[in-house]
Amino acid sequence: METPTLSAAPPSGGSPFQAILFKEWIKLRFWWALLLLGSTGWAAYLCLRLRHVHQFNDAVSVWHAWIFKSYLFFESYCYVPLGAGVLLGTLQFLPETLQKKVRLSLRLPLGENRVIGCHLRAGLLGLALILAPAAALFTLTASVYFPAEFRANLALTLAPWALAGLAAYLWTAALLLESSWWRRVICLLLGLGALRVFFQAEFYDAAARLLPALTLWCAASVALPLYACHRFRKGL
Amino acid sequence: MTLVARFLLLLTGILALAHYAPAGYWLAAAKPRRAPTVFYSCVEQRFLLLRSERGELLRADPGGKSYTREDFERLLPLDNYLQLYKDGRMPKEIRGVAITPEKLRRERVNLRLKPEALDSPGAPLHPLFESQSGRVRLETPADMLRLGAGAEFIEIKSNAVNRAKSEKLRLALAAAEFTFPVSVAGGNPTALKPYDEGLFVADATGSVFHLRQVKGEFELDRLADKAAPEDAARWRALQPRHIHVQEQDNRELRALIIDTAGRAHLLVGPQYRLVTLPFEHYDPSQMALTVRGDMLNRLATASSADRVEALVFDRDYQVVDRYTEALPPATAQPAGRWAKTLFPFTLELASNGSGYLGWHFEAGNPWAWGLNAVCAGGYLVWVRKRPWNRGRALDLAAISLGGWYGLAISAALPGED
């Protein structure tokens, strides 16, 4: 892994976010590409499998399996966003905390919240870009074989998985930036307990009524790595 | 930011404990509680009950008298005819009605509606079977009928709208003065049924229509127009919430309709007679409804873990007898009382009354809230010599509302001075 140069100034006079995005890109591009490949590859495999099922089975049975048995054909993708979020969070923040590089970042004249906020934005953008091609592949494939109702079911089924990925990334970042092992363990337990809720639905659309609260919870989770970083800087 | 993070950690911890701690408690403490299965003896014309207690089946009557398995079967010959025929104990006639195996099989009725069926996810796509294809078995159609703001057929193989067929249906609906959008539609989507009843569809005004496909043509009837004059006004007043179709061999019970007021109605016979089930305690969002029938009676039972209510009808759907039993609620049992005291509130995601996940909270009893006050007092004593700040105020609020859940999280993740 290359060691990026830490600089408050962006490479070509851009914003601090661009500078940090560039630094994170240099650091993570290989792993990001691997995660993108893994996510998209698995999604492509599931799309091909749906095509195969459609070709080799009666299309009527395939539709009935969807409508009446909630078989959406993409279920085995459910833990991919979660895994990608955890891995990306670990790859981004583990080197920073192991080698105490985060201390250097916190000395930048941007303020700790802004620095860590830029890191998180870079990570979340990276994660969204990892998941987006899979979502596009699913939507495209679904639109070939199924009507609009299926795509609506699919969106409401994919949404909690994607939110779980984003939340997992933020909680992983918080765990790694946290300096107390005891708090890490408690936060890990809380995160695991909460993330399980994202995978409780057994029928399409079943999680629809949870989504607004889950989205708010994910958005509020941004505060956790910032808080952990604040504690890290104060040496708590 | 610190406060937001602390709030999020406290909220996550309290909700996680409110969800997982009671679940763990009930895994260890729960005892099976099931409503008894209610039967009606056509021999002695009274109710009999099959209870499951401590893993054993108890056969009894409402008075508490127990029966052996053989006696129970003898009193319920129409429910146990296979065993009675095998034993040579089957009567040849009951109450003057000759009994034959063929009639027994044909006249059996069994219909079941679970409460979550009224509030579950589903796509507005329905297979409209060809009711008289001339084939021995029903065949699943190659298209789906989309019912919503309009009505159109989608060819499954090509995933495209069949415009000609959709237009034909549109004209039939317009001729019948059907008002879009569709409010409720009910059909039985399986081909494994004795015949096809088609779809019962309620329009925007609540008028119920019967839609069938017969030899490629659509048959569409407004039930208020087809019903007998004494039923027409009731059909016009009906506002259906859910329509359940489950074809029976004798073609007598055509649908079960739950209206928006929570009443259950049976749709009976070729004249679309509307029979309202006069339950006193039926709550469609919580209770399962079954209708069983034989050559002599119809038995409608509404049951939940807290109550069972049964109505017996003769073959003309006049009420013959009724039975109601309130079962001790879970909170009346020692484990339930302890749970109400131990847990300030519980959070469940799944519910008996819905196929959707949701935030289902249940509060503890006043003792639990008293325990919250004790926890809050203990916390104040604990932090009395430390500087007071907004984080401490947040902890206190969490402990006051979340009781020991809040105390546990505050103690595990102490705030900063």
Side-chain angles (χ1 to χ4, degrees):
Chain A
M1 194 187 302
E2 290 178 46
T3 308
T5 312
L6 256 182
S7 166
S12 55
S15 69
F17 171 65
Q18 282 175 327
I20 288 173
L21 183 64
F22 181 70
K23 172 178 89 78
E24 295 302 292
W25 168 247
I26 298 293
K27 183 171 80 179
L28 293 170
R29 59 189 172 186
F30 172 72
W31 302 105
W32 181 84
L34 268 187
L35 287 172
L36 175 68
L37 193 68
S39 166
T40 312
W42 185 244
Y45 163 72
L46 293 176
C47 292
L48 286 174
R49 204 177 64 168
L50 170 61
R51 180 187 169 277
H52 180 83
V53 167
H54 206 269
Q55 295 282 318
F56 283 82
N57 291 279
D58 176 16
V60 174
S61 311
V62 175
W63 275 42
H64 276 246
W66 152 48
I67 297 171
F68 304 113
K69 293 180 183 164
S70 184
Y71 196 67
L72 290 182
F73 306 96
F74 301 120
E75 280 86 351
S76 53
Y77 187 78
C78 70
Y79 293 112
V80 173
L82 180 81
V86 171
L87 280 174
L88 192 66
T90 308
L91 291 165
Q92 190 180 0
F93 288 99
L94 190 64
E96 304 280 335
T97 49
L98 276 183
Q99 299 160 26
K100 305 285 184 193
K101 286 183 197 163
V102 72
R103 284 189 190 281
L104 288 174
S105 300
L106 294 177
R107 289 207 176 95
L108 291 174
L110 289 172
E112 70 185 39
N113 280 355
R114 207 161 163 214
V115 168
I116 297 302
C118 287
H119 278 83
L120 293 174
R121 275 167 66 195
L124 288 170
L125 179 67
L127 184 57
L129 290 175
I130 288 169
L131 302 181
L137 268 177
F138 290 152
T139 310
L140 274 174
T141 311
S143 60
V144 172
Y145 298 112
F146 294 106
E149 287 83 355
F150 181 92
R151 294 196 292 281
N153 296 153
L154 186 65
L156 283 174
T157 306
L158 285 175
W161 303 345
L163 284 174
L166 299 176
Y169 167 79
L170 292 169
W171 280 70
T172 304
L175 288 176
L176 291 170
L177 289 168
E178 173 59 55
S179 46
S180 149
W181 272 102
W182 169 252
R183 291 180 77 96
R184 274 184 185 161
V185 171
I186 299 295
C187 288
L188 177 66
L189 291 175
L190 292 183
L192 288 175
L195 286 173
R196 187 172 167 264
V197 173
F198 290 77
F199 301 94
Q200 294 264 300
E202 291 177 355
F203 209 87
Y204 57 74
D205 293 6
R209 292 176 187 171
L210 301 181
L211 275 180
L214 295 182
T215 309
L216 273 179
W217 184 82
C218 283
S221 294
V222 172
L224 293 180
L226 298 177
Y227 177 51
C229 193
H230 166 75
R231 288 173 47 77
F232 180 85
R233 192 180 62 80
K234 286 177 76 177
L236 294 170
Chain B
M1 194 53 67
T2 307
L3 267 188
V4 174
R6 180 127 196 95
F7 175 77
L8 182 71
L9 287 171
L10 287 169
L11 181 72
T12 307
I14 288 172
L15 294 182
L17 281 171
H19 179 60
Y20 292 111
Y25 171 85
W26 282 113
L27 268 182
K31 294 194 171 137
R33 283 171 67 246
R34 277 194 210 114
T37 309
V38 182
F39 294 92
Y40 186 74
S41 168
C42 56
V43 178
E44 299 193 350
Q45 299 186 52
R46 62 196 176 91
F47 286 101
L48 292 171
L49 306 169
L50 184 64
R51 296 182 192 276
S52 172
E53 286 181 14
R54 291 181 290 277
E56 286 184 23
L57 288 177
L58 302 178
R59 299 166 183 86
D61 63 17
K65 184 183 172 191
S66 295
Y67 294 87
T68 62
R69 186 173 185 167
E70 286 68 29
D71 279 345
F72 204 72
E73 288 168 352
R74 181 182 58 77
L75 292 172
L76 298 168
L78 302 184
D79 292 291
N80 300 287
Y81 65 92
L82 289 175
Q83 185 65 44
L84 292 182
Y85 272 122
K86 183 176 182 301
D87 298 345
R89 294 189 288 149
M90 188 69 192
K92 292 217 166 15
E93 67 166 54
I94 299 171
R95 284 156 50 192
V97 177
I99 307 293
T100 64
E102 172 57 26
K103 275 166 73 181
L104 272 171
R105 264 195 298 274
R106 204 179 56 239
E107 293 298 326
R108 283 186 77 79
V109 169
N110 204 333
L111 215 139
R112 182 174 171 82
L113 178 65
K114 291 181 177 177
E116 64 262 32
L118 274 68
D119 184 37
S120 281
L125 298 169
H126 307 266
L128 183 62
F129 287 77
E130 168 56 56
S131 296
Q132 292 177 21
S133 65
R135 307 296 306 172
V136 175
R137 291 187 181 87
L138 286 168
E139 290 175 350
T140 306
D143 52 25
M144 282 276 182
L145 174 57
R146 176 187 279 150
L147 289 171
E152 57 187 8
F153 285 94
I154 307 170
E155 292 288 345
I156 293 178
K157 196 157 190 180
S158 63
N159 190 24
V161 173
N162 182 334
R163 300 206 179 277
K165 196 172 177 183
S166 302
E167 180 61 15
K168 198 169 159 184
L169 177 63
R170 193 190 65 76
L171 292 174
L173 289 164
E177 296 177 353
F178 188 94
T179 313
F180 282 104
V182 171
S183 59
V184 184
N188 188 359
T190 177
L192 302 174
K193 52 189 179 181
Y195 73 105
D196 174 55
E197 191 62 82
L199 296 172
F200 289 95
V201 186
D203 73 0
T205 67
S207 289
V208 184
F209 292 76
H210 188 195
L211 172 63
R212 291 171 77 220
Q213 189 178 192
V214 181
K215 295 185 175 150
E217 299 299 320
F218 297 116
E219 281 188 6
L220 187 66
D221 297 309
R222 186 195 295 265
L223 300 196
D225 299 337
K226 295 288 283 185
E230 63 269 22
D231 271 338
R234 295 180 62 225
W235 272 114
R236 272 190 278 275
L238 185 75
Q239 290 293 321
R241 177 184 168 194
H242 182 82
I243 302 175
H244 176 80
V245 179
Q246 195 177 333
E247 289 89 345
Q248 309 289 321
D249 279 330
N250 68 0
R251 304 192 176 206
E252 182 180 287
L253 285 186
R254 309 184 69 174
L256 169 63
I257 300 176
I258 308 297
D259 68 18
T260 50
R263 287 184 300 254
H265 311 267
L266 294 175
L267 203 170
V268 180
Q271 292 300 306
Y272 300 104
R273 184 178 163 198
L274 190 64
V275 176
T276 302
L277 302 179
F279 285 113
E280 289 171 355
H281 304 284
Y282 176 55
D283 174 1
S285 67
Q286 297 298 323
M287 301 177 89
L289 177 59
T290 58
V291 179
R292 303 200 309 270
D294 52 43
M295 290 173 61
L296 300 171
N297 296 107
R298 299 282 175 260
L299 174 66
T301 310
S303 64
S304 67
D306 296 331
R307 186 182 292 278
V308 61
E309 183 177 7
L311 299 168
V312 177
F313 301 87
D314 60 18
R315 290 297 301 267
D316 192 36
Y317 290 90
Q318 303 301 314
V319 177
V320 172
D321 203 352
R322 67 168 64 228
Y323 174 76
T324 305
E325 182 179 333
L327 304 163
T331 49
Q333 295 172 348
R337 283 199 297 274
W338 273 107
K340 280 277 184 188
T341 306
L342 276 175
F343 305 117
F345 61 89
T346 58
L347 166 63
E348 287 196 32
L349 300 175
S351 135
N352 279 342
S354 177
Y356 290 97
L357 298 175
W359 308 103
H360 303 285
F361 290 97
E362 196 177 320
N365 62 20
W367 286 101
W369 291 99
L371 199 61
N372 285 8
V374 171
C375 290
Y379 176 75
L380 284 173
V381 171
W382 181 36
V383 298
R384 70 186 184 284
K385 289 184 180 169
R386 297 179 193 184
W388 187 256
N389 56 28
R390 286 186 297 174
R392 299 248 190 278
L394 195 60
D395 285 2
L396 183 64
I399 294 166
S400 303
L401 290 172
W404 68 264
Y405 303 148
L407 188 64
I409 299 300
S410 299
L413 298 172
E416 296 154 28
D417 288 333

